[in-house]
Amino acid sequence: MLTSKVAKRYAQGLLDFTNESGQTATVFSEMKDVVKIMKESQDLNKFFMTPYIDSKKKVEVAKEIFKSLSASSQNLITLVIRQGRENQLKNIAQEFINKVEDINGVQRITLTTATQLSKENLDQILKSTNLVNTNSNFDLIVNVKPEILGGYILRVGDQQVDASVKSKLNQVKKDFQLN
């Protein structure tokens, strides 16, 4: 997923601030909470997306929802809302998480399969490619999409291995159309 320039800039500003103030670890865990809350609450997303609700009301609601967060995180959320960027709040938090993980050397891996796989199968897939450094830290996200029919799609950073049945069938179809 492409991240907007706005999210990248706010996340970088937050990262610079937290590095200077020594709060990176605290804000990192809080931004994970923000992403989780924003993913789970469709009502909150609709509320933030509603243009006719003024920013003061949105700030009040955000302060109540995120009252357990540190002052730095609350100030970021307030700033984002006052600047009219509340629709980017989840992206900003996710981009901050990504930046901290990049600094810490964490690999982000997305594995898409047709069905749920066992732990042994996941380990076997990860070990079968040279894209994944199994000795380092990695964050694995497993998506189940039956429409790929079988196999898997492994994405590590900006590289992808597509070993899905659907893509192989599409390739066969292209080959028949050419001949």
Side-chain angles (χ1 to χ4, degrees):
M1 182 179 131
L2 293 176
T3 307
S4 71
K5 288 182 181 180
V6 169
K8 288 181 181 182
R9 287 184 179 157
Y10 275 91
Q12 186 60 52
L14 180 61
L15 181 62
D16 293 343
F17 173 76
T18 58
N19 282 339
E20 289 175 12
S21 62
Q23 301 176 4
T24 305
T26 303
V27 174
F28 176 74
S29 67
E30 292 174 346
M31 289 298 118
K32 284 187 171 185
D33 293 339
V34 169
V35 169
K36 183 180 179 205
I37 290 169
M38 297 298 289
K39 278 184 181 177
E40 292 175 354
S41 177
Q42 293 300 320
D43 292 337
L44 181 61
N45 285 315
K46 288 178 184 176
F47 177 77
F48 280 150
M49 297 294 186
T50 306
Y52 54 85
I53 298 175
D54 71 333
S55 64
K56 290 179 184 177
K57 184 67 175 169
K58 290 180 182 180
V59 168
E60 287 177 27
V61 169
K63 282 188 178 184
E64 185 61 31
I65 291 171
F66 299 113
K67 64 184 172 189
S68 64
L69 303 183
S70 68
S72 298
S73 296
Q74 288 184 5
N75 289 339
L76 171 78
I77 293 168
T78 301
L79 175 70
V80 168
I81 293 170
R82 286 192 178 144
Q83 295 297 320
R85 305 288 192 173
E86 57 271 12
N87 62 334
Q88 292 290 319
L89 184 58
K90 183 176 83 172
N91 294 338
I92 293 167
Q94 186 60 57
E95 185 63 23
F96 177 80
I97 292 166
N98 293 347
K99 287 180 179 292
V100 172
E101 286 178 345
D102 287 344
I103 290 170
N104 294 334
V106 176
Q107 271 187 315
R108 279 181 294 288
I109 303 169
T110 305
L111 180 64
T112 305
T113 61
T115 61
Q116 193 66 36
L117 298 178
S118 68
K119 176 81 169 121
E120 294 81 27
N121 287 344
L122 290 174
D123 291 340
Q124 187 177 4
I125 290 171
L126 295 177
K127 289 177 183 174
S128 70
T129 180
N130 59 358
L131 296 179
V132 179
N133 182 359
T134 54
N135 296 331
S136 70
N137 293 336
F138 58 87
D139 182 22
L140 177 64
I141 298 170
V142 178
N143 298 322
V144 177
K145 292 187 178 178
E147 61 266 18
I148 69 168
L149 304 176
Y152 62 89
I153 301 171
L154 179 69
R155 185 163 186 82
V156 180
D158 61 352
Q159 296 179 324
Q160 179 171 302
V161 174
D162 189 346
S164 67
V165 172
K166 183 177 181 179
S167 67
K168 290 178 181 178
L169 287 173
N170 286 338
Q171 186 60 45
V172 169
K173 182 179 175 182
K174 285 180 187 178
D175 290 344
F176 277 125
Q177 287 175 345
L178 290 175
N179 292 329

